[in-house]
Amino acid sequence: MSDIKLEPGWLAQLKAEFEQPYMQELGAFLRREKAAGKIIYPAGSNIFAAFDATPFEAVKLVIIGQDPYHGPGQAHGLSFSVPPGVAIPPSLRNIYQELNRDLGLSIPAHGHLLPWARQGVLLLNAVLTVEQARAGAHQGRGWERFTDAAIAALEKKRENIVFLLWGSYAQKKGAFIDRRRHLVLQSPHPSPLSAHRGFIGNGHFSKANEYLVNCGKTPIDWRVGEIS
């Protein structure tokens, strides 16, 4: 992964990780998988899209996902998001439902969350690649350590960031975050299997904005607009 191009602020924080043996092994694994004809999502140019869309110094809020969508055309490097023209996945539909309930926002016709990322919402999956039609196929290959390092950099070197930890996986990943310096909001995952056990009704979007305003930051405009 010596040819990685990353937003300069993130590169300064994570450069040492790219030099670690585990990342070299991860790069070799991905090259072997591709050479074997396996289809990997997202496209190589989008693997680090979350970092490029939300520079290190711009991060206000972090939403942690597990791994990318594994269907054709879905994954583009931002957790929970899909490109324009792709059907809105069930978990994102429930996120929109809670935004409607919490803030009265209309439910969008698309699932492209880049407008959030550009306002400082880091849409970070714990695992940054996946094999087509095999959810979780790249878990345990090293991505978790890399994204832990990214979260740790934010936790240590920034202040007053909101972390939305939805579901047990994200909650375990964010267990080390200092609650005295950051706001951590937890609830069940927005998946259809768990959304109605406490995700719907969690009020995280209004609570996050209230905290940001109290810290002197601009709140997030959670509308994603229309895609032409």
Side-chain angles (χ1 to χ4, degrees):
M1 294 191 180
S2 58
D3 59 345
I4 290 298
K5 296 179 177 64
L6 204 62
E7 186 275 321
W10 277 114
L11 185 60
Q13 301 301 323
L14 298 173
K15 187 174 185 297
E17 297 301 311
F18 286 105
E19 298 168 356
Q20 294 294 317
Y22 83 92
M23 283 298 280
Q24 305 299 321
E25 293 167 7
L26 175 56
F29 163 74
L30 292 174
R31 288 191 293 272
R32 287 196 305 271
E33 293 292 278
K34 290 179 181 178
K38 295 180 180 179
I39 298 173
I40 307 299
Y41 299 133
S45 59
N46 283 332
I47 289 175
F48 297 101
F51 300 103
D52 287 328
T54 312
F56 182 77
E57 293 296 337
V59 176
K60 296 178 183 178
L61 185 148
V62 181
I63 298 177
I64 299 174
Q66 192 159 350
D67 63 351
Y69 296 121
H70 55 83
Q74 292 181 302
H76 67 128
L78 306 180
S79 64
F80 293 101
S81 179
V82 290
V86 176
I88 300 172
S91 290
L92 181 54
R93 196 166 291 282
N94 284 330
I95 291 171
Y96 285 166
Q97 183 178 337
E98 174 56 17
L99 274 166
N100 173 261
R101 189 211 63 80
D102 188 16
L103 298 175
L105 300 184
S106 59
I107 294 180
H110 67 89
H112 194 224
L113 303 182
L114 186 60
W116 295 2
R118 287 177 171 163
Q119 295 180 73
V121 178
L122 180 65
L123 297 165
L124 183 65
N125 280 316
V127 177
L128 299 187
T129 58
V130 70
E131 182 183 340
Q132 179 177 278
R134 290 192 62 214
H138 292 180
Q139 291 179 11
R141 292 287 180 171
W143 281 128
E144 294 93 341
R145 179 172 167 182
F146 179 80
T147 52
D148 278 349
I151 295 167
L154 290 170
E155 196 277 334
K156 293 176 183 175
K157 299 181 181 180
R158 298 285 315 285
E159 291 189 354
N160 304 132
I161 290 175
V162 181
F163 291 86
L164 302 186
L165 307 182
W166 298 333
S168 59
Y169 185 92
Q171 288 160 21
K172 289 175 185 174
K173 194 167 182 69
F176 66 89
I177 297 166
D178 187 345
R179 269 72 168 169
R180 296 166 298 181
R181 297 175 56 244
H182 305 283
L183 177 64
V184 177
L185 298 175
Q186 301 187 171
S187 83
H189 194 275
S191 159
L193 297 175
S194 56
H196 294 282
R197 295 204 298 262
F199 177 82
I200 301 299
N202 66 21
H204 281 184
F205 302 103
S206 58
K207 290 173 184 176
N209 275 351
E210 181 181 5
Y211 177 81
L212 291 173
V213 170
N214 288 341
C215 292
K217 300 183 180 184
T218 305
I220 305 299
D221 180 352
W222 293 105
R223 296 171 296 180
V224 294
E226 296 301 321
I227 299 295
S228 57

